[in-house]
Amino acid sequence: MQGSDFIKIAVIGAGASGIMSAIFSKTENTEVFLFDGNEKIGKKIYISGKGRCNITNSKEIYEFFDEINSNKNFLYSSLYSYTNEDILKFFNDNGLETKVERGGRVFPLSDKSNDVNKALEKALNSKGVNIILNTEIEDVKLVGEKFKLVCNKDYGLFDKVVFATGGKSYPFTGSRGKGHEILKRLGHTITDLKAGLVGIDVKEKVRKYSGVSLKFVDFKIYNTNHKLIHSEFGELLFTHTGFSGPIVLKSSKYFDNSKDSIVSIDLKPKINHHTLDQRLLREFDQNKNKCLKNVLSNVLIGAMVELVLEKSAVNGEISVNQLSKDDRKKLVETIKNLEFNFNSLRPLSEAIITIGGVSVKEVNSSTMESKLIKNLYIVGELLDVDANTGGYNLTIAFSTGHLAGVSCIEGE
Ligand SMILES: Cc1cc2nc3c(=O)[nH]c(=O)nc-3n(C[C@H](O)[C@H](O)[C@H](O)COP(=O)(O)OP(=O)(O)OC[C@H]3O[C@@H](n4cnc5c(N)ncnc54)[C@H](O)[C@@H]3O)c2cc1C
């Protein structure tokens, strides 16, 4: 089928970004090979959004830039040339029905991430992309102006190559940093790689609260001079060694492993100290002879009663009428300010996203082509870009992948 007029394109990595590059670079004049080391496409998509895949967000596209943490200017061309609406149209056209949930997060109607992969696979097949699985690309060599892929078989020379090898988190999905290594050898700069959207460990022992989820709390980060660094309201999860959950993941960028900081959880953020004190007084008045810890469970969930008593060093076994005013104040203070000492971020392997990657200074934001090597394109999480949770990271992958795909065939 291949004549000499064909442009031969290799896309390395069949994740969200690479799949889009492959689909949009395939025309009747191109032959596209999509390589992945895995036995199937979209392994990270499969585990994304807790198996439901938060594909994109329904916000206006200009609002996406408030959610991007690194190098947002670099993403203007890609996000505006292939918006969240384009992404949704693409998926709907390929048989995926979607729904919008809280915060504008878009999911498949079926709640199954695998249906996202099925839609992508359908598009790849209908375009006629060659999907080459179980094939790890070990290296890419420049041969004149063409590219040779070093892997388990000889695929000949390629006119264009798209790097879509992802970041370095959740390595079992295939993103282990091989793309970074190859591009570094080819002269690209890789900025420091750090864990993004990740849980934290604290110095205190919290194991016995592991699994406890708190829905409407304030999570505050202070430096050692007690200056407030960041505050986030929402859902938090106790882990074996610290905290995770949406507000912790979102706040993780404000921690630095080399710096001490203090985290404080306000269990009753909607009411001030005085109102909380009045609330406790009312409860205590109505239950004078009852055991303090039982009465507190009218105000707090069970596990938090234990933690608040432990932290405030107030004896929960006494009856309410034995409680001193000072101890009541201590309870109020502790409920409003449960303090822990930050120890470290969880490792990159557990992070939702990799912060850092190929320096965007070396990539043309209007095409995704390398500024150092002609006909080489770099997309997705492999780049030094990252965003908050809410469907923004997949949007970056889809949009940058699309832009590289169409750029590969521009003018052909
Ligand atoms: C647990 C979890 C949940 C997430 N949930 C969401 C969510 O709901 N919404 C959202 O927007 N974002 C989410 N993200 C982030 C999002 O999934 C990623 O940012 C996005 O998938 C990145 O796509 P990518 O194509 O750049 O890289 P990847 O999806 O990592 O794909 C890279 C591919 O390249 C392949 N590869 C790597 N090196 C080679 C090589 N040398 N040779 C051949 N193949 C290679 C890998 O096998 C892999 O398939 C989540 C991430 C995680 C870890």
Side-chain angles (χ1 to χ4, degrees), residues 357-370:
V358 177
S359 168
V360 297
K361 292 187 192 135
E362 298 167 353
V363 179
N364 181 340
S365 64
S366 314
T367 58
M368 296 292 135
E369 189 177 11
S370 161

Side-chain angles (χ1 to χ4, degrees), residues 258-303:
S258 65
K259 287 192 187 136
D260 286 337
S261 41
I262 296 152
V263 300
S264 161
I265 300 165
D266 183 346
L267 295 172
K268 296 285 172 195
K270 299 274 188 211
I271 52 178
N272 63 22
H273 282 67
H274 175 71
T275 314
L276 177 60
D277 194 34
Q278 297 299 307
R279 168 87 207 276
L280 288 186
L281 272 174
R282 260 198 324 276
E283 286 292 339
F284 294 163
D285 241 20
Q286 289 159 10
N287 300 286
K288 284 194 180 74
N289 298 315
K290 290 203 180 138
C291 177
L292 174 62
K293 69 176 185 198
N294 293 341
V295 179
L296 278 179
S297 65
N298 296 341
V299 184
L300 300 168
I301 63 164

Side-chain angles (χ1 to χ4, degrees), residues 244-344:
S244 186
I247 57 176
V248 179
L249 299 188
K250 201 169 173 191
S251 307
S252 61
K253 64 184 172 200
Y254 295 98
F255 292 103
D256 182 336
N257 277 345
S258 65
K259 287 192 187 136
D260 286 337
S261 41
I262 296 152
V263 300
S264 161
I265 300 165
D266 183 346
L267 295 172
K268 296 285 172 195
K270 299 274 188 211
I271 52 178
N272 63 22
H273 282 67
H274 175 71
T275 314
L276 177 60
D277 194 34
Q278 297 299 307
R279 168 87 207 276
L280 288 186
L281 272 174
R282 260 198 324 276
E283 286 292 339
F284 294 163
D285 241 20
Q286 289 159 10
N287 300 286
K288 284 194 180 74
N289 298 315
K290 290 203 180 138
C291 177
L292 174 62
K293 69 176 185 198
N294 293 341
V295 179
L296 278 179
S297 65
N298 296 341
V299 184
L300 300 168
I301 63 164
M304 288 304 99
V305 172
E306 193 182 340
L307 181 57
V308 165
L309 288 169
E310 186 186 308
K311 283 262 183 203
S312 58
V314 172
N315 181 2
E317 303 300 332
I318 60 171
S319 68
V320 161
N321 56 17
Q322 289 176 283
L323 184 73
S324 68
K325 189 176 169 192
D326 273 0
D327 278 354
R328 198 184 75 236
K329 295 275 177 215
K330 273 195 214 161
L331 289 176
V332 170
E333 185 49 41
T334 311
I335 293 170
K336 295 287 294 170
N337 180 27
L338 269 175
E339 272 194 7
F340 299 88
N341 290 286
F342 167 71
N343 191 35
S344 57

Side-chain angles (χ1 to χ4, degrees), residues 12-19 35-38 40-45 47-50 52-56 107 135-138 164-167 169-170 173-179 182 351-353 379-382 388 390-395 397:
I12 310 173
S17 61
I19 293 171
F35 294 93
D36 204 291
N38 291 329
K40 59 180 182 185
I41 65 161
K43 233 174 163 174
K44 193 165 265 177
I45 291 174
I47 60 159
S48 69
K50 297 192 176 126
R52 299 200 303 135
C53 188
N54 178 193
I55 307 164
T56 186
F107 290 93
T135 303
E136 186 84 4
I137 306 302
E138 301 298 338
T165 51
S169 63
Y170 278 64
T173 63
S175 43
R176 287 184 279 268
K178 187 65 83 47
I182 300 173
I352 299 289
I353 194 90
V379 295
E381 202 179 317
L382 172 60
N388 292 332
Y392 307 106
N393 285 301
L394 274 171
T395 303

